[in-house]
Amino acid sequence: MWRLIVITALLVCNLAAAADTPGEVPVGETLRDAKMRGLNSPARDLAEFRGRPLIINVWASWCGPCRAEMASLERLAWRDDSHYFTIIGISTDDYVDNALQALKQANATITHFIDEKLLLEHMLGASRLPLTVLVDADGRVLQRVYGAREWDSEPALALIHDTLGGAEQLPAKP
């Protein structure tokens, strides 16, 4: 039984969708506002994050690759308290308790929200997980990165810099 669950979870995490997600905001377009239910923070509107580049990580507690990359996002967030972008997480879990348990196990300090009614999942284009969306300060989608990454690695930092700009503002390597 467990093998079936693990295999199913891996397939869901890695399957590519044949078409765009319904309601997906295309690269180059501005994200619509959405009320986000907080997991480890109060509820907020997505538009409140405008004014600084934004890194949005979409994940689920049952997705092994999602959970594996959480530590690198935490390390990225703690590299320097004056970095120029904000990182948030969006859980696609159906059950809040599962998402909260995953955050507790990960010792998460990044602000996380839970998707309700597939609104954010569809808008962000989360046809497979994990998904990281790089957004400019005006709320425009610049790039989608599917699959787990080590977000504090040199290649990932270069991707962030190339996409969001601001080399002089990029956190220094410890």
Side-chain angles (χ1 to χ4, degrees):
M1 178 69 173
W2 282 106
R3 273 193 229 172
L4 180 59
I5 293 170
V6 170
I7 290 169
T8 302
L10 289 172
L11 287 173
V12 170
C13 284
N14 292 312
L15 282 178
D20 290 340
T21 306
E24 179 179 331
V25 173
V27 170
E29 297 295 321
T30 302
L31 291 172
R32 297 178 296 278
D33 195 16
K35 186 71 152 179
M36 300 186 301
R37 179 179 175 189
L39 282 171
N40 60 352
S41 68
R44 291 187 66 184
D45 290 329
L46 183 58
E48 290 179 49
F49 289 98
R50 293 214 177 126
R52 290 175 53 162
L54 180 63
I55 298 174
I56 304 172
N57 181 255
V58 186
W59 60 277
S61 64
W62 48 262
C63 174
C66 299
R67 292 179 69 157
E69 80 175 349
M70 280 184 167
S72 71
L73 288 161
E74 287 288 333
R75 290 189 304 268
L76 176 62
W78 284 93
R79 283 178 63 91
D80 185 325
D81 61 1
S82 65
H83 52 69
Y84 67 99
F85 53 82
T86 300
I87 304 170
I88 63 171
I90 307 288
S91 169
T92 62
D93 281 283
D94 292 330
Y95 302 102
V96 172
D97 290 343
N98 292 352
L100 288 172
Q101 182 64 31
L103 293 181
K104 182 178 179 183
Q105 289 174 349
N107 294 317
T109 61
I110 296 169
T111 303
H112 288 269
F113 303 91
I114 192 159
D115 195 8
E116 294 185 315
K117 301 177 184 172
L118 305 176
L119 175 69
L120 295 165
E121 185 174 343
H122 287 171
M123 180 170 46
L124 296 170
S127 58
R128 58 193 185 275
L129 299 175
L131 166 65
T132 303
V133 183
L134 304 178
V135 180
D136 73 8
D138 296 321
R140 190 178 52 198
V141 175
L142 299 178
Q143 186 166 1
R144 286 184 178 83
V145 180
Y146 292 96
R149 302 283 189 276
E150 287 293 321
W151 287 103
D152 60 331
S153 69
E154 290 303 320
L157 290 171
L159 172 69
I160 292 167
H161 164 66
D162 291 346
T163 305
L164 300 179
E168 66 285 349
Q169 298 170 342
L170 200 61
K173 187 172 181 174

